[in-house]
Amino acid sequence: MRLLLIGLATMLLGLAGLLAQVSRAIEPGLVLSLLAYAAAFGGTLIAVAGLIQVLPVRR
């Protein structure tokens, strides 16, 4: 469950960074955009891994 929450928080942080650049709250730049995209994508992968851990396995 902890892995799922960490992944969701990281994903939301990356998406918030991208939104801040689009709305010009912070000055957009290539490095900052790539870091925010990597955080959003990595957070999604971590959340999926956490979801796989939480779901019960049927046999």
Side-chain angles (χ1 to χ4, degrees):
M1 186 67 155
R2 188 175 67 187
L3 191 62
L4 179 64
L5 293 176
I6 290 171
L8 288 174
T10 306
M11 179 183 58
L12 289 176
L13 183 67
L15 289 175
L18 289 171
L19 180 64
Q21 290 180 43
V22 169
S23 65
R24 299 284 185 173
I26 57 176
E27 188 64 32
L30 180 63
V31 174
L32 194 56
S33 296
L34 290 175
L35 283 174
Y37 179 75
F41 186 71
T44 303
L45 291 179
I46 293 171
V48 168
L51 187 62
I52 289 172
Q53 273 187 341
V54 170
L55 292 177
V57 177
R58 291 188 187 179
R59 293 183 183 199

